[in-house]
């Protein structure tokens, strides 16, 4: 999956928490979010930055849940991010794991 396809997929599955997301889909989405956030910060467009942040909240949660599904974990693991200092490290570890081959309880392999 390339950059454009990943962005289209994430926006088309805006609140789609079902299914699986490959590593490339997830990391291309993360790159898109970081680049747009940096650009809005450099241009000092705080209002637009806030609107962008609200606009990508649900797609970011959805692609995160789908990424966890791809490695055989429940999307509820996203809540571990609420644990200070350790939570984001656990999610980072999960995000870099290879896809689970074949199908799992969350859908077919990609």
């Amino acid at each position: 999956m390339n950059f454009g396809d990943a962005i289209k997929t994430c926006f088309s599955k805006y609140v789609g928490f079902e299914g699986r997301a490959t590593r490339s889909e997830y990391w291309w989405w993360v790159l898109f979010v970081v680049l747009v956030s940096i650009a809005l910060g450099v241009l000092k467009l705080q209002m637009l930055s806030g609107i962008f942040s609200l606009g990508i909240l649900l797609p970011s949660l959805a692609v995160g849940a789908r990424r966890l599904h791809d490695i055989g974990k429940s999307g509820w693991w996203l809540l571990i991010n609420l644990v200070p200092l350790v939570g984001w490290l656990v999610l980072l570890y999960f995000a870099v794991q290879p896809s689970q081959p074949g199908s799992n309880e969350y859908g077919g392999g990609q």
Side-chain angles (χ1 to χ4, degrees), residues 14 48-59:
Y14 197 83
L48 193 54
S49 179
I51 293 169
F52 175 73
S53 296
L54 283 175
I56 62 157
L57 177 64
L58 287 176

Side-chain angles (χ1 to χ4, degrees), residues 3 6-7 10 12 16 21-22 30 37-38 42 44 49 55-57 59 61-63 73-74 78-79 95 104 107 109:
F3 184 76
I7 304 312
C10 288
S12 68
T22 61
V30 169
S37 297
I38 289 172
V42 167
K44 299 189 186 315
S49 179
I56 62 157
L57 177 64
L61 290 173
V63 75
K73 303 271 187 226
S74 169
L78 287 173
L79 293 176
N104 63 19

